[in-house]
Amino acid sequence: MHEGRFIETQVAAIRGEVGDGLAINALSGGVDSSTVTLLAHRALGRKLKTVFVDNALMREGEPQRVARVFKRLGVPVEVIDARRTFLDALAGITDPERKRQVITDTFYRDVFGKAVRESGARFLLHGTILTDIEETVAGIKRQHNILAQIGIDPERAYGYKVVEPLRTLRKDGVRKVARRLGLPAEIVGRIPFPGPALATRIVGEVTPPRLATVRAATAVVEKELERSRAFQYLAVLLNDCATGIREGRREFGQIVVVRCIDSRDARRASVRALPWKTLARISRRITAIPGVNRCLYDLTPKPPATIEYV
Amino acid sequence: MHEGRFIETQVAAIRGEVGDGLAINALSGGVDSSTVTLLAHRALGRKLKTVFVDNALMREGEPQRVARVFKRLGVPVEVIDARRTFLDALAGITDPERKRQVITDTFYRDVFGKAVRESGARFLLHGTILTDIEETVAGIKRQHNILAQIGIDPERAYGYKVVEPLRTLRKDGVRKVARRLGLPAEIVGRIPFPGPALATRIVGEVTPPRLATVRAATAVVEKELERSRAFQYLAVLLNDCATGIREGRREFGQIVVVRCIDSRDARRASVRALPWKTLARISRRITAIPGVNRCLYDLTPKPPATIEYV
């Protein structure tokens, strides 16, 4: 693939499709949605509205980082503060399937759907890639009908159009285009991060204090392992507690699991044999987080385990 | 210490104390209670009644193993099948402190207490060692008043006597005496195992299926690590579940934690850096246990974690 040619072709195609209309897209800060944002910005300029939804489930400093990157690139991004909406929707939910469903529904139906309707845009740009389409066909991924998800029923959907400029690329192709478009390394090389974000890193209820704990643990793991070049590394907060001793007293503390895997495409994964010195340092830093007194390392490949816990 | 002399002295002392009376003791299969059983058997012969309580919380084959060892040594042991009593008492209990308390109460008050009263014995032999006394004085261990625990109130306790022949020894001294008494290596060299047994290796409710799971995991870990010469190694069943894939299907499975530590005296412990090949083999075997799809390795020293989870 010639990235320069791909960019030219897609910019022209987006312009051709949208014409004089208004388009909207949701930027998550991942490489796919960031690339779509830049392509569409080149094609449409001020006729593109890009929204970034702060769902309260992001990593430390993530909303600020994304806003800063796009400001520097001259792309206007509207930040929607939906933290309260997500936290309220998640309160009391412990079942993992329901948790994911609630996040999807809150995002598409309540937050992004509202932004689409209010914008008057008829064109939705979306970062679907070839692997998404293949996995949907193979029955691994659930079918996403984005228009239905944002609450536009098929009867009224006439006139709306979903535009997917990355649908012929795989992840490595997207990264090349992203680099060519001038996206910084922190976005181009970002390790995979699931849409429901830190909520998939919490077993049990998602609450602000538990988010703070897993966010702190995630920051430790990402800092300590950024040079590992592993496919993915993450921290998970369990719901169980275990006994420990702090300052001579028996306490009942929280448990954090560290996972670091190698993989080509996330379909299968093997466990990285990290140096014991690194593991000891991670354990020390994680058990320094208030309320945490255990740090475990996940020894399970995929399959039989998945990469995430929820 | 000269073990031969120690044994002679203690045998004479027990004989002197008990005289023509009847004595009773509870054998758990650990090195302390096994040593007391043999010393008292030498001193008292048929005037000693030794009971072994099957509490349903033992490791795979443990009751059979202990019975076989003592049969071979010519020491009569009465096995009390109290599995139902313990399982009923533990049903529905998830709080770790209450779980330990219920096991202690069921053992001393309900099961052993009853055996003591029915035996008519006035002498209770007990495997207290010097470290137990020191830790009680230091406030680390709870004070155990064995007579009160078996339900003999202090008013009526007159006439009962607790005999503790190992109270001047530490663990290594007990092991030497045990070896000299002819106890086999599987008992002399046994890794520490807590009184509440597998119940301390289950986070959440103790039920027969969950006991079966942690028992199978314990057998894997003990087999794979017996040559490690580590101070202690164990498997813990968590209450949390995590997502996995089995035969192409998404499943929600159980999580087992493996712990392997080095320690001098269990007061402090460091994590053993096991070979990754060993860890991978353990993980493979543990995730082959029905219902288990994750295997984690505990990276936490003591402190801040304890050795056990409950």
Side-chain angles (χ1 to χ4, degrees), chain B residues 43-213:
Chain B
L44 307 172
R46 303 195 54 101
K47 287 183 303 177
L48 172 73
K49 182 185 178 76
T50 296
V51 301
F52 175 88
V53 176
D54 184 351
N55 59 9
L57 311 174
M58 309 253 163
R59 287 177 291 184
E60 210 164 275
E62 186 82 351
Q64 296 77 1
R65 185 161 52 234
V66 174
R68 194 184 62 230
V69 165
F70 283 85
K71 190 173 183 186
R72 203 181 295 146
L73 291 164
V75 181
V77 173
E78 185 191 321
V79 176
I80 301 176
D81 182 354
R83 289 178 295 177
R84 202 64 265 153
T85 311
F86 277 88
L87 290 173
D88 288 349
L90 284 165
I93 292 175
T94 56
D95 179 80
E97 294 288 345
R98 262 197 77 206
K99 198 188 283 181
R100 279 182 176 264
Q101 191 60 50
V102 159
I103 293 168
T104 304
D105 289 351
T106 304
F107 182 83
Y108 284 107
R109 196 190 51 204
D110 301 341
V111 181
F112 186 53
K114 187 162 167 261
V116 170
R117 284 187 294 271
E118 289 178 358
S119 73
R122 290 284 162 173
F123 295 89
L124 268 72
L125 282 133
H126 199 63
T128 320
I129 68 172
L130 185 54
T131 319
D132 297 327
I133 296 167
E134 286 172 339
E135 293 197 345
T136 306
V137 170
I140 296 159
K141 269 206 172 156
R142 229 174 355 163
Q143 180 78 44
H144 282 272
N145 180 337
I146 190 174
L147 291 178
Q149 278 180 322
I150 64 173
I152 293 168
D153 74 50
E155 302 270 316
R156 293 185 45 226
Y158 184 77
Y160 278 96
K161 190 149 182 18
V162 177
V163 183
E164 296 169 325
L166 309 181
R167 58 184 298 135
T168 58
L169 302 183
R170 290 180 199 282
K171 206 67 160 189
D172 55 341
V174 178
R175 289 197 206 281
K176 282 183 196 154
V177 171
R179 205 174 293 119
R180 182 64 167 251
L181 284 164
L183 277 164
E186 59 184 307
I187 285 181
V188 174
R190 214 176 78 139
I191 56 168
F193 197 69
L198 296 177
T200 61
R201 307 277 167 84
I202 292 177
V203 175
E205 192 183 359
V206 176
T207 64
R210 305 194 77 215
L211 277 165
T213 303

Side-chain angles (χ1 to χ4, degrees), chain A residues 8-301:
Chain A
E8 274 174 39
T9 312
Q10 289 306 319
V11 165
I14 294 169
R15 228 175 249 155
E17 279 216 272
V18 178
D20 287 333
L22 281 176
I24 189 167
N25 81 312
L27 168 67
S28 72
V31 65
D32 302 339
S33 73
S34 296
T35 303
V36 166
T37 301
L38 273 193
L39 282 174
H41 175 72
R42 284 213 186 169
L44 307 172
R46 302 196 54 100
K47 288 184 301 173
L48 171 73
K49 183 185 176 76
T50 295
V51 301
F52 175 89
V53 176
D54 184 351
N55 60 8
L57 311 174
M58 310 251 163
R59 287 177 291 184
E60 210 164 275
E62 187 80 351
Q64 296 76 0
R65 185 160 52 232
V66 175
R68 193 184 62 230
V69 164
F70 284 85
K71 189 172 183 186
R72 204 180 292 145
L73 292 163
V75 180
V77 172
E78 185 192 318
V79 177
I80 302 177
D81 181 355
R83 289 178 294 177
R84 201 65 265 154
T85 311
F86 278 87
L87 290 173
D88 287 349
L90 284 164
I93 293 175
T94 57
D95 178 79
E97 295 290 344
R98 263 197 77 207
K99 198 188 283 182
R100 278 181 177 266
Q101 192 59 51
V102 159
I103 294 167
T104 304
D105 290 350
T106 304
F107 181 82
Y108 285 105
R109 196 190 51 205
D110 302 341
V111 181
F112 186 53
K114 186 164 168 261
V116 171
R117 284 186 295 271
E118 289 178 358
S119 72
R122 291 282 162 175
F123 296 88
L124 267 73
L125 282 134
H126 199 63
T128 320
I129 68 172
L130 185 53
T131 318
D132 296 328
I133 295 167
E134 286 172 340
E135 293 197 345
T136 306
V137 170
I140 296 159
K141 269 205 172 159
R142 231 174 352 165
Q143 180 77 46
H144 281 272
N145 180 336
I146 190 175
L147 291 179
Q149 279 180 322
I150 65 173
I152 292 167
D153 73 53
E155 303 272 315
R156 294 184 44 226
Y158 183 77
Y160 277 97
K161 192 151 182 17
V162 178
V163 182
E164 295 170 326
L166 309 181
R167 58 184 297 133
T168 58
L169 302 183
R170 292 181 196 283
K171 206 69 162 190
D172 55 342
V174 178
R175 289 197 206 280
K176 282 182 195 154
V177 172
R179 204 174 293 117
R180 181 64 166 252
L181 284 165
L183 277 164
E186 61 184 305
I187 285 182
V188 174
R190 214 176 79 140
I191 57 167
F193 197 69
L198 295 177
T200 62
R201 307 280 167 83
I202 292 177
V203 175
E205 192 183 359
V206 176
T207 64
R210 306 194 76 214
L211 277 165
T213 302
V214 80
R215 185 173 284 125
T218 301
V220 168
V221 169
E222 294 193 348
K223 187 76 194 157
E224 292 289 344
L225 299 183
E226 65 182 349
R227 274 192 268 174
S228 70
R229 304 186 137 272
F231 180 80
Q232 204 169 343
Y233 32 87
L234 51 106
V236 175
L237 177 63
L238 297 185
N239 199 36
D240 286 332
C241 284
T243 50
I245 318 166
R246 190 88 61 173
E247 286 152 24
R249 281 227 195 113
R250 198 170 147 88
E251 64 164 19
F252 206 48
Q254 296 188 87
I255 307 172
V256 167
V257 179
V258 174
R259 186 148 174 71
C260 179
I261 50 134
D262 290 307
S263 177
R264 191 186 299 261
D265 55 9
R267 300 278 293 273
R268 302 183 69 83
S270 61
V271 173
R272 172 68 71 92
L274 289 170
W276 286 97
K277 261 196 171 169
T278 306
L279 289 171
R281 199 168 50 234
I282 289 174
S283 166
R284 214 158 38 236
R285 289 186 62 187
I286 281 185
T287 54
I289 297 169
V292 178
N293 67 9
R294 295 259 176 185
C295 181
L296 315 176
Y297 189 64
D298 194 332
L299 302 177
T300 337

